[in-house]
Amino acid sequence: MKKILVPLLVLAMLMISMAALAEGNEAITVELNTARLPVYEADDPTVDLFRAEGAEENTLPVLLVPLKKNLELRVTVMPKDLKNRKSVLTTDDEEVARIRETTLYTRNAGETILTIASAMDPAAANQYRVIVYQPVTRIAVNASEKAVAVGETIRLTADILPENAAMKDVEWSSQDEKTATVDGEGNVTGVKRGTARITATAKDGSNIKASISIQVNQNPEEITLDKPEVTVDTGRSTAIRATVLPKDANNKNVVWASSDESIARVNADGRVTGVALGECTIICTDKQTGTVQASAVVHVQQPVTKVTLGEAPAVYAGETAQLTWTTEPANASNPAVTFRSGNTKVLTVSEDGTVTGVKAGETWVTVMSTDGSNRQAKVKVKVYQHVTGVHMKRNTAYIDLRTKSTTTAVLEPETATNHNMTWVSADPSIATVEPIRNQPQRISIYGVSEGFTVITGTTEDGGFQTSIPVLVGHWEKSLKIQEAKVKGADAVLKVKNVSDLTITSIKVEVSVFDNEGKPVPCNSKDDSNTYVMTYKKTLEPGDTTKEKDWKTVNFKLPDSPTVHEYVVKITEFEIDHDWIKVIRKNNQPTQKCPVHL
């Protein structure tokens, strides 16, 4: 029997092919639209990086697909005058990937063969080798030390998760190569003092990243004193403040000494005390190398009569600014001053008048003489917050054709001062974008034509970017009510997903009317005639809701015995746990159902 069936099958296929050829002069061809697909030639070196160990080599083109990523496959059957231009898509191992309609769903890491054939002539077919691989899901960057000196190098390593990730190579980059550079092996070299953000990005196309902040330190090269010449009363003291250069020197500690302690003494903080009338020299030496010095001449004389502060500087959180001040008279015995912040949670101030922003806000900074005269002045300093990053609140925007929807970018941190952003659409013929007035982080997206594009926003402060993929289509038509009926307190509701989307929640409003069309109260919260039903299970394309999974919100049995009709409307649904699609009233799927007694 088998020996007869095989020739018959071959004969049948031959007859189909002959019929197809007889229908026209052109041979039937089947082509996969690979414009937006990750297709590689069999000998592409990229394929070797993802090929499973022990897998046989072949010459088929390769589709590289990360696990949990589904691909929409578009097939063209030619010639155009064929009566049947449908195609048949199959995989030889559905444990790796399977086909549902025209979508390839990945299931497990591995390899399978995708066959795309003409429904009219199965002999007209193309095959692709599909490699489903486990992408990187997390990267942890480790450093033996969190600081490096200018000109020196430390090594970073990257731990990749999960363990079975197909490709564990990363690409290293520095967000500020003027501060520190990094090579392909993760070796970080300090260029100048500051903080450099080093990022490791997975090379498998998953775009998974991880970063670490590396502090770059600078040794001192010069010391300058705020007062090369000071005056102090006998028995009183003043402070000489040293500035270690360059400004980005890491260790600014210094050692102080007096050339004649019978005239004036100096302590470890640079505080000079007059001992006797006269003149001597105070020497300041850097503690790090012991080779960099500066000196000041001390005259032992009279007190401070007035302290004046300069204009308040602008300072950002995490950054510093220098206060300016003056003391009078110019020959005061101790013109040194001290500083105090009114709120150290907003900013701090050092002994040399350097204010450091802690967080956004404002507070008073007070300067006071140290010679016992209690002269003081104060200035209000405002602390600003730089933008350090930005991300979109939603992952993907699903915009209905010729409608507007809004979404928001989230600035990092929340206390960032400058909220200004610019927005641009990669393809305005698909979707346009404009910021909402007085809310530069919030945007309105308008669907111009069906298709795909990307909206990108850039912060004015720092130039950080974020983007959101935009799909324009008829998403409001994604759900269809197949059945809706009510019997007493029991409601049966079946809703089908007629789209290619993964829908993760549905909201339905049910309104109750009597036989005269008047509202009948049924809401236990507000006594209105409308209550809500929700469905929070995942609904894949083609799936229908299950009766047991619906939840009723704020429902009470109507008191009226004249309930005549229930009106069911789908008002909104959620796409892939991310985008909330609110259906316009005129487009809400609606079904009226009389009461079943």
Side-chain angles (χ1 to χ4, degrees), residues 220 222-225 240-245 251-257 267-270 283-288 292-294:
E222 180 184 357
I223 295 176
T224 61
L225 302 180
I240 300 177
R241 290 165 181 80
T243 300
V244 178
L245 298 177
N251 187 345
K252 294 185 178 182
N253 293 327
V254 294
V255 176
W256 297 88
N267 66 10
D269 297 322
I283 302 168
C284 179
T285 305
D286 85 285
K287 193 172 183 179
Q288 178 73 22
V292 181
Q293 289 187 337

Side-chain angles (χ1 to χ4, degrees), residues 14-29 77-86 118-121:
L14 181 59
M15 292 177 68
I16 292 173
S17 299
M18 293 177 65
L21 290 173
E23 186 175 322
N25 295 327
E26 297 181 54
I28 297 176
T29 61
V77 180
M78 298 295 288
K80 291 184 177 180
D81 58 357
L82 281 178
K83 291 181 179 179
N84 183 355
R85 296 183 66 200
K86 293 184 178 180
S118 164
M120 182 172 181
D121 180 9

Side-chain angles (χ1 to χ4, degrees), residues 30-39 63 72-76 116 128:
V30 180
E31 295 294 337
L32 175 65
N33 186 348
T34 61
R36 295 184 178 180
L37 297 178
V39 176
L63 265 170
E72 178 69 21
L73 304 178
R74 301 185 183 277
V75 180
T76 303
I116 303 170
Y128 292 82

Side-chain angles (χ1 to χ4, degrees), residues 269-292:
D269 297 322
R271 181 165 293 281
V272 179
T273 302
V275 176
L277 293 177
E279 181 177 295
C280 66
T281 301
I282 301 298
I283 302 168
C284 179
T285 305
D286 85 285
K287 193 172 183 179
Q288 178 73 22
T289 67
T291 60
V292 181

Side-chain angles (χ1 to χ4, degrees), residues 428-442:
S429 70
I430 300 296
T432 59
V433 59
E434 60 181 11
I436 294 176
R437 187 176 181 181
N438 299 326
Q439 299 182 65
Q441 299 163 254
R442 188 166 177 80

